[in-house]
């Protein structure tokens, strides 16, 4: 008897931080995973597993080729994580727009030509802009960057099409995700890398805060919501609902590593998006999805330190 393959799952942005970990988790569960990847993508996060997937080289801004490929895959579930502009060096306006808004529009059009169970769009907490309270899905969006602007526009596009076409299209807004395979220039890897070398990295104001959530909790959120079929046009935050200052994060890592490094605050200029209140309201996710993050900041940092020590080649640690 021939074993029937699981229904195809499509992931865009599989070489990115969150996308790569969703890809890994789905492969572990023996899913039929298809990935869409740019020819120029750095695949260091998935180099060891890419041959376990069915991968397709295409840029999502190439509408006709994308439609052709998606029509052959006929995905049952879509995890859309492809993006551009999340890092400060990715600052070309046209490129941000093409990859986020045009790319999402193209992917939606391609997927709508086939039946699917769920399309999960990945938004950003940057859509909210500055806030003096917990950021809630129903808040008026005031993005303070081009990245946030086009993420917000993509969210609105997804919502409109979901309601207009009666399709299960939703948007998730991750907050500060950290853990294994995170980009080495980001906060947690920089702090760990520097403190392991007993060096002090450039630091912004100690009062700047983050809502930190460990990557495993984020992946679990994506997989949990992918089994829902009645959330058309809805938006969900993915955070811890807790605020941690850069100062607290620094000393937590310093304590675990047992470093004697003394921080030198404000040796790095605050970025335009830095803020002292940056925290998710997780009430909706708790009520509708019964979501609770399982990994505390301390446990998450310990797990990340251990992983980085075992994968020094990715983080320039001798």
């Amino acid at each position: 008897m021939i074993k029937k393959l699981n229904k195809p799952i499509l992931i865009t942005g599989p070489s990115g931080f969150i996308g790569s970990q969703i890809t890994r988790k789905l492969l572990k569960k023996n899913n039929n995973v298809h990935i869409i990847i740019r020819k120029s993508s750095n695949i260091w996060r998935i180099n060891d597993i890419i041959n376990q997937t069915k991968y397709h080289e295409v840029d999502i801004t190439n509408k006709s080729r994308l439609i052709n490929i998606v029509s052959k895959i006929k995905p049952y579930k879509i995890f859309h994580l492809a993006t551009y502009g999340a890092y400060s060096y990715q600052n070309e306006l046209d490129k941000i727009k093409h990859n986020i808004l045009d790319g999402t529009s193209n992917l939606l059009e391609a997927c709508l030509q086939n039946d699917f169970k769920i399309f999960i769009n990945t938004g950003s907490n940057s859509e909210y802009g500055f806030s003096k309270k917990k950021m809630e899905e129903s808040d008026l969006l005031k993005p303070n960057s081009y990245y946030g602007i086009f993420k917000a526009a993509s969210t609105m596009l997804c919502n409109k099409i979901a309601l207009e076409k009666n399709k299960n299209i939703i948007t998730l807004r991750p907050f500060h995700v950290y853990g294994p395979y995170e980009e080495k220039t980001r906060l947690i890897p920089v702090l760990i890398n520097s403190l392991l070398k007993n060096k002090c990295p450039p630091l912004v104001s100690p009062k700047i805060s983050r809502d930190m959530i460990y990557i495993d909790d984020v992946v679990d959120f994506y997989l949990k919501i992918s089994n829902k079929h009645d959330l058309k046009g809805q938006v969900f935050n993915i955070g811890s609902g807790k605020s941690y200052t850069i100062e607290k994060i620094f000393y937590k890592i310093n304590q675990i590593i047992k470093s004697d490094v003394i921080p030198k605050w404000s040796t790095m200029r605050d970025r335009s998006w830095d803020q002292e209140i940056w925290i998710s309201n997780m009430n909706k996710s708790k009520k509708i999805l019964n979501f609770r993050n399982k990994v505390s900041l301390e446990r998450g940092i310990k797990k990340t330190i251990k992983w980085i020590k075992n994968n020094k080649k990715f983080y320039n640690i001798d």
Side-chain angles (χ1 to χ4, degrees), residues 66-109:
L66 180 64
I67 288 174
N68 181 260
I69 286 173
V70 172
S71 69
K72 293 177 181 177
I73 299 170
K74 293 181 171 53
Y76 178 59
K77 297 180 181 180
I78 302 98
F79 294 84
H80 177 37
L81 296 111
T83 192
Y84 181 88
Y87 302 110
S88 58
Y89 60 84
Q90 297 176 332
N91 54 16
E92 304 99 317
L93 174 59
D94 285 346
K95 201 168 182 180
I96 294 171
K97 174 184 176 293
H98 291 323
N99 280 275
I100 296 178
L101 183 56
D102 298 341
T104 300
S105 176
N106 291 345
L107 184 63
L108 282 167
E109 184 172 337

Side-chain angles (χ1 to χ4, degrees), residues 16-18 44-45 83 85-90 123-126 147 174-195 201-204 209-215 218 238 246 249 253 268 271 273-274 278 304 308 314-316:
F17 178 31
I18 300 176
W44 69 274
R45 292 184 178 93
T83 192
Y87 302 110
S88 58
Y89 60 84
Q90 297 176 332
S124 169
N125 63 86
S126 298
Y147 177 75
F175 277 67
H176 191 122
V177 186
Y178 72 99
Y181 291 101
E182 187 178 5
E183 178 65 34
K184 66 181 180 180
T185 59
R186 298 264 289 171
L187 175 65
I188 298 298
V190 166
L191 290 177
I192 292 173
N193 196 352
S194 298
L195 295 176
L203 295 165
V204 294
S209 73
R210 297 282 188 274
D211 182 325
M212 311 291 295
I213 183 165
Y214 190 66
I215 183 64
V218 174
I238 311 180
I246 301 297
I249 295 167
I253 296 174
M268 176 181 175
R271 281 73 53 88
W273 59 86
D274 282 330
W278 199 341
T304 306
I308 287 178
F314 298 137
Y315 292 93
N316 300 324

Side-chain angles (χ1 to χ4, degrees), residues 9 27 30 141 146 171 174 184 196 229 236-237 271 304:
I9 295 173
L27 287 173
N30 297 315
L141 302 182
Y146 291 129
T171 295
K184 66 181 180 180
L196 283 173
H229 54 81
F236 293 89
N237 287 335
R271 281 73 53 88
T304 306

Side-chain angles (χ1 to χ4, degrees), residues 2 6 22 43 90 102 110 113 151 202 244 249 261 280 294:
I2 298 175
N6 295 330
I22 291 174
I43 62 169
Q90 297 176 332
D102 298 341
Q113 294 183 21
K151 278 292 186 181
Y244 302 95
I249 295 167
V261 171
S280 63
K294 300 173 184 175

Side-chain angles (χ1 to χ4, degrees), residues 6 38 67 69 82 100 107 140 142 144 159 178 187 190 225 247 260 276 289 297 307:
N6 295 330
R38 296 188 189 95
I67 288 174
I69 286 173
I100 296 178
L107 184 63
L140 177 66
K142 298 179 181 179
N144 51 17
N159 292 354
Y178 72 99
L187 175 65
V190 166
I225 209 166
E247 182 177 31
D260 57 4
E276 293 183 14
L289 300 171
L297 180 65
W307 188 88

